[in-house]
Amino acid sequence: MTDTLELLPEDWQRGLVIVAHPDDIEYGGAAAIARWTDQGKQLAYALLTSGEAGIDGMPPEQARVVREAEQRASAAVVGVDSVEFLGFADGILEYGVPLRRELARVVRRHQPEIVITSNFRDTWDGSFLNQADHIATGRAVLDAVRDAGNRWVFSEQLDEGLDPWDGVREVWAANSPQSRHGVDVTGTFDRGVESLRAHDAYLRGLGDDTMDPEEMLAAFARPVGSKLGCRYGVAFEVLAMR
């Protein structure tokens, strides 16, 4: 991340959040989502998995139901009522054609101008390793956005009534170590915290030594805010699609 950050453009109306698991966007990014829904922007969530392998003490078939409910409640806190789960298996996502095909379908259906995902670089800060599902998701998102605009890639989707969509201007990866942009979330920080708290069963499953959500998110947001000239911020890596 650079010493200073440019402000993200906000001259868009439709955004699509694509992440691997429930809670991925809530580690900072949800406060930005709240800012944008307050502006009247339309945002939808697409989650590749239901996070069913994420709670050690809860069987996957039970965790799936719990985590889907928690994600919907979390999204509602920040003004998002469109949440879909794509049914891929948690923990073993693989980059490849099946993943690209499904993501191209989602992009064609929602027709976003901006696609938002989480950090897909190998690390978070140059040393702390990223998780494999995050990496596979982000890389597939980039290619699926291009695929969605090409009528001859996954052309069977034309028969589903899904026209090609080449209207995605940029993909934004939250909390990337290569971030050069950011957004002021001072006014929506508290809702970002509440959206993370909504993942109650998941957070309790992490154990008693887990940091308080407000303290954790503040620790992430203050350094970014200082680079933007505000109290709290969220950093994004911007990848141009045009």
Side-chain angles (χ1 to χ4, degrees):
M1 192 184 301
T2 58
D3 291 335
T4 59
L5 297 172
E6 296 181 41
L7 289 172
L8 285 171
E10 295 185 322
D11 59 339
W12 51 277
Q13 183 62 25
R14 294 188 312 279
L16 174 63
V17 176
I18 303 175
V19 291
H21 316 107
D23 85 280
D24 280 354
I25 197 61
E26 281 71 51
Y27 283 94
I33 301 300
R35 173 187 171 96
W36 295 324
T37 59
D38 283 354
Q39 295 172 352
K41 300 186 193 307
Q42 302 166 16
L43 286 112
Y45 286 4
L47 292 95
L48 295 185
T49 81
S50 298
E52 67 275 9
I55 303 176
D56 184 67
M58 187 180 293
E61 60 273 17
Q62 179 183 355
R64 178 187 303 278
V65 175
V66 169
R67 299 206 69 194
E68 287 186 1
E70 289 187 341
Q71 181 61 70
R72 290 191 177 95
S74 174
V77 170
V78 295
V80 175
D81 58 13
S82 176
V83 181
E84 59 186 294
F85 300 89
L86 302 184
F88 288 87
D90 185 15
I92 53 173
L93 286 176
E94 291 184 300
Y95 171 86
V97 170
L99 196 54
R100 286 170 50 194
R101 177 181 289 110
E102 187 57 35
L103 293 183
R105 178 178 285 113
V106 171
V107 170
R108 287 168 171 170
R109 189 167 69 249
H110 286 279
Q111 299 186 343
E113 298 162 78
I114 300 294
V115 172
I116 300 160
T117 191
S118 57
N119 173 36
F120 59 89
R121 301 300 179 182
D122 289 341
T123 69
W124 291 97
D125 57 3
S127 59
F128 186 71
L129 289 175
N130 201 352
Q131 198 259 2
D133 282 0
H134 302 155
I135 296 170
T137 297
R139 292 176 178 171
V141 164
L142 294 179
D143 287 335
V145 165
R146 295 190 188 95
D147 296 336
N150 187 334
R151 72 174 55 254
W152 306 122
V153 177
F154 309 132
S155 56
E156 72 279 3
Q157 293 176 8
L158 295 172
D159 296 332
E160 302 172 21
L162 296 175
D163 292 330
W165 177 252
D166 64 356
V168 177
R169 291 159 41 183
E170 295 173 335
V171 173
W172 296 350
N175 303 316
S176 167
Q178 297 189 29
S179 295
R180 292 182 173 82
H181 292 74
V183 60
D184 179 353
V185 297
T186 304
T188 53
F189 175 78
D190 289 345
R191 285 164 64 198
V193 172
E194 290 309 307
S195 74
L196 179 56
R197 289 193 193 279
H199 294 277
D200 178 63
Y202 174 72
L203 293 174
R204 285 188 285 109
L206 295 178
D208 294 337
D209 59 346
T210 303
M211 185 181 293
D212 176 77
E214 184 172 2
E215 294 178 7
M216 180 190 305
L217 295 182
F220 297 158
R222 284 195 190 102
V224 177
S226 70
K227 296 178 180 181
L228 292 169
C230 60
R231 185 177 183 187
Y232 294 127
V234 179
F236 288 86
E237 179 180 358
V238 172
L239 300 113
M241 294 290 110
R242 294 183 182 176

PDB file of all heavy atoms in Angstrom, residues 188-200:
ATOM      1  N   THR A 188     -19.961   5.785   8.241  1.00  0.00           N
ATOM      2  CA  THR A 188     -20.655   4.487   8.207  1.00  0.00           C
ATOM      3  C   THR A 188     -19.869   3.396   8.925  1.00  0.00           C
ATOM      4  O   THR A 188     -20.230   2.222   8.855  1.00  0.00           O
ATOM      5  CB  THR A 188     -20.910   4.053   6.747  1.00  0.00           C
ATOM      6  OG1 THR A 188     -19.671   4.100   6.009  1.00  0.00           O
ATOM      7  CG2 THR A 188     -21.923   4.975   6.080  1.00  0.00           C
ATOM      8  N   PHE A 189     -18.806   3.792   9.618  1.00  0.00           N
ATOM      9  CA  PHE A 189     -17.967   2.809  10.298  1.00  0.00           C
ATOM     10  C   PHE A 189     -18.774   1.963  11.276  1.00  0.00           C
ATOM     11  O   PHE A 189     -18.613   0.736  11.334  1.00  0.00           O
ATOM     12  CB  PHE A 189     -16.816   3.513  11.030  1.00  0.00           C
ATOM     13  CG  PHE A 189     -15.964   2.589  11.847  1.00  0.00           C
ATOM     14  CD1 PHE A 189     -15.006   1.776  11.247  1.00  0.00           C
ATOM     15  CD2 PHE A 189     -16.122   2.518  13.233  1.00  0.00           C
ATOM     16  CE1 PHE A 189     -14.232   0.905  12.006  1.00  0.00           C
ATOM     17  CE2 PHE A 189     -15.344   1.658  13.993  1.00  0.00           C
ATOM     18  CZ  PHE A 189     -14.395   0.857  13.379  1.00  0.00           C
ATOM     19  N   ASP A 190     -19.645   2.585  12.061  1.00  0.00           N
ATOM     20  CA  ASP A 190     -20.404   1.843  13.071  1.00  0.00           C
ATOM     21  C   ASP A 190     -21.288   0.779  12.434  1.00  0.00           C
ATOM     22  O   ASP A 190     -21.436  -0.326  12.990  1.00  0.00           O
ATOM     23  CB  ASP A 190     -21.262   2.803  13.895  1.00  0.00           C
ATOM     24  CG  ASP A 190     -20.438   3.672  14.831  1.00  0.00           C
ATOM     25  OD1 ASP A 190     -19.252   3.343  15.047  1.00  0.00           O
ATOM     26  OD2 ASP A 190     -20.970   4.680  15.335  1.00  0.00           O
ATOM     27  N   ARG A 191     -21.870   1.077  11.277  1.00  0.00           N
ATOM     28  CA  ARG A 191     -22.688   0.066  10.603  1.00  0.00           C
ATOM     29  C   ARG A 191     -21.826  -1.058  10.058  1.00  0.00           C
ATOM     30  O   ARG A 191     -22.247  -2.224  10.023  1.00  0.00           O
ATOM     31  CB  ARG A 191     -23.518   0.712   9.498  1.00  0.00           C
ATOM     32  CG  ARG A 191     -24.706   1.498  10.077  1.00  0.00           C
ATOM     33  CD  ARG A 191     -25.285   2.441   9.080  1.00  0.00           C
ATOM     34  NE  ARG A 191     -25.861   1.743   7.934  1.00  0.00           N
ATOM     35  CZ  ARG A 191     -26.124   2.332   6.778  1.00  0.00           C
ATOM     36  NH1 ARG A 191     -25.835   3.621   6.608  1.00  0.00           N
ATOM     37  NH2 ARG A 191     -26.648   1.652   5.793  1.00  0.00           N
ATOM     38  N   GLY A 192     -20.603  -0.732   9.643  1.00  0.00           N
ATOM     39  CA  GLY A 192     -19.677  -1.781   9.239  1.00  0.00           C
ATOM     40  C   GLY A 192     -19.375  -2.726  10.386  1.00  0.00           C
ATOM     41  O   GLY A 192     -19.301  -3.950  10.209  1.00  0.00           O
ATOM     42  N   VAL A 193     -19.204  -2.163  11.581  1.00  0.00           N
ATOM     43  CA  VAL A 193     -18.963  -2.988  12.773  1.00  0.00           C
ATOM     44  C   VAL A 193     -20.161  -3.890  13.047  1.00  0.00           C
ATOM     45  O   VAL A 193     -20.011  -5.095  13.300  1.00  0.00           O
ATOM     46  CB  VAL A 193     -18.665  -2.102  14.000  1.00  0.00           C
ATOM     47  CG1 VAL A 193     -18.610  -2.949  15.274  1.00  0.00           C
ATOM     48  CG2 VAL A 193     -17.353  -1.348  13.812  1.00  0.00           C
ATOM     49  N   GLU A 194     -21.361  -3.313  12.986  1.00  0.00           N
ATOM     50  CA  GLU A 194     -22.553  -4.106  13.258  1.00  0.00           C
ATOM     51  C   GLU A 194     -22.751  -5.205  12.219  1.00  0.00           C
ATOM     52  O   GLU A 194     -23.249  -6.291  12.534  1.00  0.00           O
ATOM     53  CB  GLU A 194     -23.787  -3.199  13.314  1.00  0.00           C
ATOM     54  CG  GLU A 194     -23.819  -2.295  14.537  1.00  0.00           C
ATOM     55  CD  GLU A 194     -23.611  -3.070  15.838  1.00  0.00           C
ATOM     56  OE1 GLU A 194     -24.352  -4.053  16.067  1.00  0.00           O
ATOM     57  OE2 GLU A 194     -22.698  -2.714  16.608  1.00  0.00           O
ATOM     58  N   SER A 195     -22.344  -4.937  10.991  1.00  0.00           N
ATOM     59  CA  SER A 195     -22.478  -5.972   9.961  1.00  0.00           C
ATOM     60  C   SER A 195     -21.551  -7.145  10.244  1.00  0.00           C
ATOM     61  O   SER A 195     -21.894  -8.300   9.961  1.00  0.00           O
ATOM     62  CB  SER A 195     -22.215  -5.392   8.568  1.00  0.00           C
ATOM     63  OG  SER A 195     -20.844  -5.155   8.355  1.00  0.00           O
ATOM     64  N   LEU A 196     -20.378  -6.868  10.819  1.00  0.00           N
ATOM     65  CA  LEU A 196     -19.491  -7.966  11.212  1.00  0.00           C
ATOM     66  C   LEU A 196     -20.038  -8.681  12.443  1.00  0.00           C
ATOM     67  O   LEU A 196     -20.002  -9.917  12.521  1.00  0.00           O
ATOM     68  CB  LEU A 196     -18.083  -7.444  11.471  1.00  0.00           C
ATOM     69  CG  LEU A 196     -17.041  -8.488  11.910  1.00  0.00           C
ATOM     70  CD1 LEU A 196     -16.938  -9.638  10.908  1.00  0.00           C
ATOM     71  CD2 LEU A 196     -15.678  -7.832  12.112  1.00  0.00           C
ATOM     72  N   ARG A 197     -20.562  -7.936  13.399  1.00  0.00           N
ATOM     73  CA  ARG A 197     -21.127  -8.557  14.603  1.00  0.00           C
ATOM     74  C   ARG A 197     -22.283  -9.496  14.260  1.00  0.00           C
ATOM     75  O   ARG A 197     -22.572 -10.430  15.013  1.00  0.00           O
ATOM     76  CB  ARG A 197     -21.620  -7.483  15.572  1.00  0.00           C
ATOM     77  CG  ARG A 197     -20.527  -6.678  16.260  1.00  0.00           C
ATOM     78  CD  ARG A 197     -21.122  -5.883  17.418  1.00  0.00           C
ATOM     79  NE  ARG A 197     -20.209  -4.877  17.924  1.00  0.00           N
ATOM     80  CZ  ARG A 197     -19.218  -5.114  18.776  1.00  0.00           C
ATOM     81  NH1 ARG A 197     -19.016  -6.358  19.206  1.00  0.00           N
ATOM     82  NH2 ARG A 197     -18.438  -4.130  19.193  1.00  0.00           N
ATOM     83  N   ALA A 198     -22.946  -9.252  13.131  1.00  0.00           N
ATOM     84  CA  ALA A 198     -24.058 -10.112  12.737  1.00  0.00           C
ATOM     85  C   ALA A 198     -23.621 -11.546  12.472  1.00  0.00           C
ATOM     86  O   ALA A 198     -24.445 -12.465  12.499  1.00  0.00           O
ATOM     87  CB  ALA A 198     -24.761  -9.539  11.505  1.00  0.00           C
ATOM     88  N   HIS A 199     -22.328 -11.741  12.256  1.00  0.00           N
ATOM     89  CA  HIS A 199     -21.793 -13.105  12.061  1.00  0.00           C
ATOM     90  C   HIS A 199     -21.456 -13.709  13.434  1.00  0.00           C
ATOM     91  O   HIS A 199     -20.338 -14.168  13.687  1.00  0.00           O
ATOM     92  CB  HIS A 199     -20.558 -13.050  11.163  1.00  0.00           C
ATOM     93  CG  HIS A 199     -20.849 -12.620   9.767  1.00  0.00           C
ATOM     94  ND1 HIS A 199     -21.296 -13.492   8.790  1.00  0.00           N
ATOM     95  CD2 HIS A 199     -20.775 -11.402   9.178  1.00  0.00           C
ATOM     96  CE1 HIS A 199     -21.477 -12.827   7.660  1.00  0.00           C
ATOM     97  NE2 HIS A 199     -21.167 -11.559   7.869  1.00  0.00           N
ATOM     98  N   ASP A 200     -22.440 -13.726  14.294  1.00  0.00           N
ATOM     99  CA  ASP A 200     -22.226 -14.067  15.702  1.00  0.00           C
ATOM    100  C   ASP A 200     -21.721 -15.497  15.890  1.00  0.00           C
ATOM    101  O   ASP A 200     -20.744 -15.732  16.600  1.00  0.00           O
ATOM    102  CB  ASP A 200     -23.524 -13.853  16.471  1.00  0.00           C
ATOM    103  CG  ASP A 200     -23.392 -14.228  17.931  1.00  0.00           C
ATOM    104  OD1 ASP A 200     -22.585 -13.596  18.638  1.00  0.00           O
ATOM    105  OD2 ASP A 200     -24.082 -15.165  18.369  1.00  0.00           O
TER     106      ASP A 200
END
